[in-house]
Amino acid sequence: MTGGAPGTTAPGTTGGGTGFHGMWRDLLPIGRHERSGGYRRYAWAAADTDCRAWFRQEATARGLAYEVDRNGNQWAWLGDPSQGGAVVTGSHLDSVPDGGAFDGPLGVVSAFAALDELWARGARPAAPLAVVNFGDEEGARFGLACVGSRLTAGQLTPRQAHELRDADGVSLPQAMEAAGHDPDAIGPDPERLARIGAFVELHIEQGRALDLGGHPVGVASAIWPHGRWRFDFHGEANHAGTTRLEDRRDPMLTYATTVLAARKKARLAGALATFGKVAVEPNGVNAIPSLVRGWLDSRAADEDTLAAVVAAIEQAAHERGARDGVDVRVTRESFTPVVEFAHELRDTLAGLVSPDAPAPVLPTGAGHDAGILSAAVPTAMLFVRNPTGVSHSPAESAAEDDCTAGVTALADVLEGLACR
Ligand code: GLV
Ligand code: MN
Ligand code: MN
């Protein structure tokens, strides 16, 4: 399925809701770029606001209690949250630039659909249940991923959040306010987290492990440590047609060499390193740049390897900068330590999803709100097969049957955790 939708015949939890097919259909056009076919759903911008309106509509159509928390995350409650021990499921609705349809939305749509399926089965939860949409998971606009869950978990202070700015200089509080959310209230929310007994995030797999093993659904074991580093290469602007090569201080050369070095260092260490975003000043065809700014995303199976790879890339940048007359400054913009999901919950999930044969348990290099929350609440993830492994691209896809299998697996998990 690339843009189509699996169908489900499950009625709404309390008689409302449009089923997986209807939800997918309604969400699909929002923020889709006409030319690329990818999604541009950036935190607090118009498409994100439309996605949030969709979430509210799905919550109220089912008679769920809708609320937005102090950090702008949306919640839809079945049962009384103050009872404690809540089982929460969901994901995010924002996207990377030209992202796919599934990264995030599959988890939110499947969450509502799993509640529908529970209801259709006649299962009635003893614990409160909630669907959540965490704000600004991808960090595409303000540069930091998982802002909503980080704020909630106290891993991002309000002061740090107030300093975040988008490419146009709009601050996060300004963007929140423009979208109708009070930015003065942002901050840690320990009372909310204390009410959660388990958080389960369903997500499309962003690799091919399930496909290669022939499994529609798997369970996450761990998230690789990862981070973002901004490399500023300061050179000297000059005329492209008159400046002798030996007189240039060209930061593009240093940047280019650093990109190649990143690839090599990552390969040698069995890690990952990507420069996926670059900004050039003044950005003229016939001018040597004064500044090249490149963002490194690097990930590895363990923190020591990640630290060593990034240090080696920095060293290569400085060495080349010295030869080019270019000043190199590196700023770590974010870092997420390794996440090992709670073994007990992980094993419970694997048993619920696949009682007869063990469900595959796999690590991922992708970051998730579940990883952020895992420091505060028991957290687990389900992955749905991605036949190509492609993600963060309009080509991201999942088969209709696999999406349906994901909903069933999630409903099994919710039933197992909340209905006993
Ligand atoms: C989020 O998708 C990330 O891993 O960057
Ligand atoms: Mn993503
Ligand atoms: Mn995601």
mmCIF file with all atom_site columns, all heavy atoms in Angstrom, residues 96 103 137-138 145 206 226 228 297 299 365-368 392, ligand 1:
data_model
loop_
_atom_site.group_PDB
_atom_site.id
_atom_site.type_symbol
_atom_site.label_atom_id
_atom_site.label_alt_id
_atom_site.label_comp_id
_atom_site.label_asym_id
_atom_site.label_entity_id
_atom_site.label_seq_id
_atom_site.pdbx_PDB_ins_code
_atom_site.Cartn_x
_atom_site.Cartn_y
_atom_site.Cartn_z
_atom_site.occupancy
_atom_site.B_iso_or_equiv
_atom_site.pdbx_formal_charge
_atom_site.auth_seq_id
_atom_site.auth_comp_id
_atom_site.auth_asym_id
_atom_site.auth_atom_id
_atom_site.pdbx_PDB_model_num
ATOM   1   N N   . VAL A 1 96  ? 9.054  14.376 8.439  1.00 0.00 ? 96  VAL A N   1
ATOM   2   C CA  . VAL A 1 96  ? 10.286 14.981 7.931  1.00 0.00 ? 96  VAL A CA  1
ATOM   3   C C   . VAL A 1 96  ? 9.939  15.680 6.616  1.00 0.00 ? 96  VAL A C   1
ATOM   4   O O   . VAL A 1 96  ? 8.837  15.464 6.086  1.00 0.00 ? 96  VAL A O   1
ATOM   5   C CB  . VAL A 1 96  ? 11.384 13.919 7.696  1.00 0.00 ? 96  VAL A CB  1
ATOM   6   C CG1 . VAL A 1 96  ? 11.792 13.271 9.008  1.00 0.00 ? 96  VAL A CG1 1
ATOM   7   C CG2 . VAL A 1 96  ? 10.933 12.857 6.694  1.00 0.00 ? 96  VAL A CG2 1
ATOM   8   N N   . ASP A 1 103 ? 5.215  6.806  8.638  1.00 0.00 ? 103 ASP A N   1
ATOM   9   C CA  . ASP A 1 103 ? 6.079  7.093  9.781  1.00 0.00 ? 103 ASP A CA  1
ATOM   10  C C   . ASP A 1 103 ? 5.351  8.038  10.728 1.00 0.00 ? 103 ASP A C   1
ATOM   11  O O   . ASP A 1 103 ? 5.307  9.244  10.497 1.00 0.00 ? 103 ASP A O   1
ATOM   12  C CB  . ASP A 1 103 ? 7.399  7.704  9.277  1.00 0.00 ? 103 ASP A CB  1
ATOM   13  C CG  . ASP A 1 103 ? 8.338  8.103  10.402 1.00 0.00 ? 103 ASP A CG  1
ATOM   14  O OD1 . ASP A 1 103 ? 7.970  7.954  11.582 1.00 0.00 ? 103 ASP A OD1 1
ATOM   15  O OD2 . ASP A 1 103 ? 9.445  8.579  10.083 1.00 0.00 ? 103 ASP A OD2 1
ATOM   16  N N   . GLU A 1 137 ? 7.704  15.230 16.704 1.00 0.00 ? 137 GLU A N   1
ATOM   17  C CA  . GLU A 1 137 ? 8.590  14.077 16.888 1.00 0.00 ? 137 GLU A CA  1
ATOM   18  C C   . GLU A 1 137 ? 9.812  14.155 15.994 1.00 0.00 ? 137 GLU A C   1
ATOM   19  O O   . GLU A 1 137 ? 10.915 13.803 16.376 1.00 0.00 ? 137 GLU A O   1
ATOM   20  C CB  . GLU A 1 137 ? 7.820  12.772 16.610 1.00 0.00 ? 137 GLU A CB  1
ATOM   21  C CG  . GLU A 1 137 ? 8.549  11.516 17.081 1.00 0.00 ? 137 GLU A CG  1
ATOM   22  C CD  . GLU A 1 137 ? 9.477  10.901 16.056 1.00 0.00 ? 137 GLU A CD  1
ATOM   23  O OE1 . GLU A 1 137 ? 9.504  11.367 14.889 1.00 0.00 ? 137 GLU A OE1 1
ATOM   24  O OE2 . GLU A 1 137 ? 10.190 9.963  16.385 1.00 0.00 ? 137 GLU A OE2 1
ATOM   25  N N   . GLU A 1 138 ? 9.607  14.607 14.760 1.00 0.00 ? 138 GLU A N   1
ATOM   26  C CA  . GLU A 1 138 ? 10.712 14.549 13.791 1.00 0.00 ? 138 GLU A CA  1
ATOM   27  C C   . GLU A 1 138 ? 11.723 15.683 13.963 1.00 0.00 ? 138 GLU A C   1
ATOM   28  O O   . GLU A 1 138 ? 12.847 15.574 13.501 1.00 0.00 ? 138 GLU A O   1
ATOM   29  C CB  . GLU A 1 138 ? 10.166 14.576 12.357 1.00 0.00 ? 138 GLU A CB  1
ATOM   30  C CG  . GLU A 1 138 ? 9.288  13.378 11.994 1.00 0.00 ? 138 GLU A CG  1
ATOM   31  C CD  . GLU A 1 138 ? 10.083 12.096 11.786 1.00 0.00 ? 138 GLU A CD  1
ATOM   32  O OE1 . GLU A 1 138 ? 11.284 12.073 12.057 1.00 0.00 ? 138 GLU A OE1 1
ATOM   33  O OE2 . GLU A 1 138 ? 9.474  11.101 11.355 1.00 0.00 ? 138 GLU A OE2 1
ATOM   34  N N   . ALA A 1 145 ? 14.502 16.597 17.723 1.00 0.00 ? 145 ALA A N   1
ATOM   35  C CA  . ALA A 1 145 ? 13.450 15.580 17.614 1.00 0.00 ? 145 ALA A CA  1
ATOM   36  C C   . ALA A 1 145 ? 12.765 15.347 18.958 1.00 0.00 ? 145 ALA A C   1
ATOM   37  O O   . ALA A 1 145 ? 13.340 15.594 20.016 1.00 0.00 ? 145 ALA A O   1
ATOM   38  C CB  . ALA A 1 145 ? 14.055 14.269 17.105 1.00 0.00 ? 145 ALA A CB  1
ATOM   39  N N   . GLN A 1 206 ? 11.517 0.668  9.828  1.00 0.00 ? 206 GLN A N   1
ATOM   40  C CA  . GLN A 1 206 ? 12.288 1.527  8.924  1.00 0.00 ? 206 GLN A CA  1
ATOM   41  C C   . GLN A 1 206 ? 13.545 0.787  8.485  1.00 0.00 ? 206 GLN A C   1
ATOM   42  O O   . GLN A 1 206 ? 14.664 1.288  8.553  1.00 0.00 ? 206 GLN A O   1
ATOM   43  C CB  . GLN A 1 206 ? 12.563 2.860  9.633  1.00 0.00 ? 206 GLN A CB  1
ATOM   44  C CG  . GLN A 1 206 ? 11.238 3.582  9.882  1.00 0.00 ? 206 GLN A CG  1
ATOM   45  C CD  . GLN A 1 206 ? 11.331 4.743  10.835 1.00 0.00 ? 206 GLN A CD  1
ATOM   46  O OE1 . GLN A 1 206 ? 11.631 4.543  12.010 1.00 0.00 ? 206 GLN A OE1 1
ATOM   47  N NE2 . GLN A 1 206 ? 11.089 5.952  10.357 1.00 0.00 ? 206 GLN A NE2 1
ATOM   48  N N   . HIS A 1 226 ? 21.824 8.015  19.353 1.00 0.00 ? 226 HIS A N   1
ATOM   49  C CA  . HIS A 1 226 ? 21.947 8.846  18.156 1.00 0.00 ? 226 HIS A CA  1
ATOM   50  C C   . HIS A 1 226 ? 21.956 10.319 18.521 1.00 0.00 ? 226 HIS A C   1
ATOM   51  O O   . HIS A 1 226 ? 21.559 10.699 19.623 1.00 0.00 ? 226 HIS A O   1
ATOM   52  C CB  . HIS A 1 226 ? 20.812 8.549  17.165 1.00 0.00 ? 226 HIS A CB  1
ATOM   53  C CG  . HIS A 1 226 ? 19.437 8.675  17.739 1.00 0.00 ? 226 HIS A CG  1
ATOM   54  N ND1 . HIS A 1 226 ? 18.871 7.694  18.525 1.00 0.00 ? 226 HIS A ND1 1
ATOM   55  C CD2 . HIS A 1 226 ? 18.509 9.651  17.652 1.00 0.00 ? 226 HIS A CD2 1
ATOM   56  C CE1 . HIS A 1 226 ? 17.652 8.058  18.887 1.00 0.00 ? 226 HIS A CE1 1
ATOM   57  N NE2 . HIS A 1 226 ? 17.404 9.255  18.372 1.00 0.00 ? 226 HIS A NE2 1
ATOM   58  N N   . ARG A 1 228 ? 22.533 14.701 16.797 1.00 0.00 ? 228 ARG A N   1
ATOM   59  C CA  . ARG A 1 228 ? 22.689 15.653 15.682 1.00 0.00 ? 228 ARG A CA  1
ATOM   60  C C   . ARG A 1 228 ? 23.762 16.673 16.059 1.00 0.00 ? 228 ARG A C   1
ATOM   61  O O   . ARG A 1 228 ? 23.738 17.228 17.161 1.00 0.00 ? 228 ARG A O   1
ATOM   62  C CB  . ARG A 1 228 ? 21.363 16.389 15.419 1.00 0.00 ? 228 ARG A CB  1
ATOM   63  C CG  . ARG A 1 228 ? 20.233 15.467 14.994 1.00 0.00 ? 228 ARG A CG  1
ATOM   64  C CD  . ARG A 1 228 ? 18.925 16.235 14.801 1.00 0.00 ? 228 ARG A CD  1
ATOM   65  N NE  . ARG A 1 228 ? 17.851 15.305 14.439 1.00 0.00 ? 228 ARG A NE  1
ATOM   66  C CZ  . ARG A 1 228 ? 16.619 15.680 14.106 1.00 0.00 ? 228 ARG A CZ  1
ATOM   67  N NH1 . ARG A 1 228 ? 16.288 16.967 14.091 1.00 0.00 ? 228 ARG A NH1 1
ATOM   68  N NH2 . ARG A 1 228 ? 15.709 14.780 13.792 1.00 0.00 ? 228 ARG A NH2 1
ATOM   69  N N   . ASP A 1 297 ? 23.952 13.685 11.250 1.00 0.00 ? 297 ASP A N   1
ATOM   70  C CA  . ASP A 1 297 ? 23.149 12.751 12.050 1.00 0.00 ? 297 ASP A CA  1
ATOM   71  C C   . ASP A 1 297 ? 23.977 11.485 12.147 1.00 0.00 ? 297 ASP A C   1
ATOM   72  O O   . ASP A 1 297 ? 24.366 10.915 11.122 1.00 0.00 ? 297 ASP A O   1
ATOM   73  C CB  . ASP A 1 297 ? 21.815 12.500 11.301 1.00 0.00 ? 297 ASP A CB  1
ATOM   74  C CG  . ASP A 1 297 ? 20.933 11.452 11.973 1.00 0.00 ? 297 ASP A CG  1
ATOM   75  O OD1 . ASP A 1 297 ? 21.442 10.361 12.314 1.00 0.00 ? 297 ASP A OD1 1
ATOM   76  O OD2 . ASP A 1 297 ? 19.731 11.711 12.126 1.00 0.00 ? 297 ASP A OD2 1
ATOM   77  N N   . ARG A 1 299 ? 24.649 7.622  14.279 1.00 0.00 ? 299 ARG A N   1
ATOM   78  C CA  . ARG A 1 299 ? 24.033 6.595  15.130 1.00 0.00 ? 299 ARG A CA  1
ATOM   79  C C   . ARG A 1 299 ? 24.948 5.373  15.162 1.00 0.00 ? 299 ARG A C   1
ATOM   80  O O   . ARG A 1 299 ? 25.650 5.095  14.189 1.00 0.00 ? 299 ARG A O   1
ATOM   81  C CB  . ARG A 1 299 ? 22.661 6.202  14.582 1.00 0.00 ? 299 ARG A CB  1
ATOM   82  C CG  . ARG A 1 299 ? 21.820 7.440  14.239 1.00 0.00 ? 299 ARG A CG  1
ATOM   83  C CD  . ARG A 1 299 ? 20.435 7.137  13.759 1.00 0.00 ? 299 ARG A CD  1
ATOM   84  N NE  . ARG A 1 299 ? 19.790 8.376  13.295 1.00 0.00 ? 299 ARG A NE  1
ATOM   85  C CZ  . ARG A 1 299 ? 18.502 8.667  13.419 1.00 0.00 ? 299 ARG A CZ  1
ATOM   86  N NH1 . ARG A 1 299 ? 17.697 7.809  13.978 1.00 0.00 ? 299 ARG A NH1 1
ATOM   87  N NH2 . ARG A 1 299 ? 18.016 9.802  12.975 1.00 0.00 ? 299 ARG A NH2 1
ATOM   88  N N   . GLY A 1 365 ? 17.600 1.683  14.460 1.00 0.00 ? 365 GLY A N   1
ATOM   89  C CA  . GLY A 1 365 ? 18.440 2.874  14.487 1.00 0.00 ? 365 GLY A CA  1
ATOM   90  C C   . GLY A 1 365 ? 17.618 4.148  14.490 1.00 0.00 ? 365 GLY A C   1
ATOM   91  O O   . GLY A 1 365 ? 18.174 5.245  14.539 1.00 0.00 ? 365 GLY A O   1
ATOM   92  N N   . ALA A 1 366 ? 16.290 4.032  14.410 1.00 0.00 ? 366 ALA A N   1
ATOM   93  C CA  . ALA A 1 366 ? 15.442 5.222  14.349 1.00 0.00 ? 366 ALA A CA  1
ATOM   94  C C   . ALA A 1 366 ? 15.012 5.653  15.745 1.00 0.00 ? 366 ALA A C   1
ATOM   95  O O   . ALA A 1 366 ? 14.770 4.816  16.612 1.00 0.00 ? 366 ALA A O   1
ATOM   96  C CB  . ALA A 1 366 ? 14.207 4.937  13.493 1.00 0.00 ? 366 ALA A CB  1
ATOM   97  N N   . GLY A 1 367 ? 14.902 6.952  15.946 1.00 0.00 ? 367 GLY A N   1
ATOM   98  C CA  . GLY A 1 367 ? 14.460 7.480  17.231 1.00 0.00 ? 367 GLY A CA  1
ATOM   99  C C   . GLY A 1 367 ? 12.937 7.501  17.316 1.00 0.00 ? 367 GLY A C   1
ATOM   100 O O   . GLY A 1 367 ? 12.252 7.595  16.293 1.00 0.00 ? 367 GLY A O   1
ATOM   101 N N   . HIS A 1 368 ? 12.402 7.420  18.536 1.00 0.00 ? 368 HIS A N   1
ATOM   102 C CA  . HIS A 1 368 ? 10.948 7.408  18.739 1.00 0.00 ? 368 HIS A CA  1
ATOM   103 C C   . HIS A 1 368 ? 10.606 8.029  20.088 1.00 0.00 ? 368 HIS A C   1
ATOM   104 O O   . HIS A 1 368 ? 11.400 7.962  21.035 1.00 0.00 ? 368 HIS A O   1
ATOM   105 C CB  . HIS A 1 368 ? 10.419 5.965  18.718 1.00 0.00 ? 368 HIS A CB  1
ATOM   106 C CG  . HIS A 1 368 ? 10.669 5.255  17.430 1.00 0.00 ? 368 HIS A CG  1
ATOM   107 N ND1 . HIS A 1 368 ? 9.966  5.520  16.282 1.00 0.00 ? 368 HIS A ND1 1
ATOM   108 C CD2 . HIS A 1 368 ? 11.586 4.310  17.094 1.00 0.00 ? 368 HIS A CD2 1
ATOM   109 C CE1 . HIS A 1 368 ? 10.411 4.748  15.304 1.00 0.00 ? 368 HIS A CE1 1
ATOM   110 N NE2 . HIS A 1 368 ? 11.402 4.009  15.763 1.00 0.00 ? 368 HIS A NE2 1
ATOM   111 N N   . HIS A 1 392 ? 11.334 7.851  5.601  1.00 0.00 ? 392 HIS A N   1
ATOM   112 C CA  . HIS A 1 392 ? 11.732 9.252  5.427  1.00 0.00 ? 392 HIS A CA  1
ATOM   113 C C   . HIS A 1 392 ? 11.816 9.567  3.937  1.00 0.00 ? 392 HIS A C   1
ATOM   114 O O   . HIS A 1 392 ? 12.742 10.234 3.462  1.00 0.00 ? 392 HIS A O   1
ATOM   115 C CB  . HIS A 1 392 ? 13.059 9.566  6.141  1.00 0.00 ? 392 HIS A CB  1
ATOM   116 C CG  . HIS A 1 392 ? 12.888 9.674  7.635  1.00 0.00 ? 392 HIS A CG  1
ATOM   117 N ND1 . HIS A 1 392 ? 13.880 10.094 8.481  1.00 0.00 ? 392 HIS A ND1 1
ATOM   118 C CD2 . HIS A 1 392 ? 11.811 9.442  8.420  1.00 0.00 ? 392 HIS A CD2 1
ATOM   119 C CE1 . HIS A 1 392 ? 13.424 10.102 9.725  1.00 0.00 ? 392 HIS A CE1 1
ATOM   120 N NE2 . HIS A 1 392 ? 12.169 9.707  9.714  1.00 0.00 ? 392 HIS A NE2 1
HETATM 121 C C1  . GLV B 2 .   ? 13.197 9.808  13.563 1.00 0.00 ? 1   GLV B C1  1
HETATM 122 O O1  . GLV B 2 .   ? 12.517 9.254  12.724 1.00 0.00 ? 1   GLV B O1  1
HETATM 123 C C2  . GLV B 2 .   ? 14.627 9.652  13.521 1.00 0.00 ? 1   GLV B C2  1
HETATM 124 O O2  . GLV B 2 .   ? 15.101 8.552  13.830 1.00 0.00 ? 1   GLV B O2  1
HETATM 125 O O3  . GLV B 2 .   ? 15.305 10.580 13.111 1.00 0.00 ? 1   GLV B O3  1
#
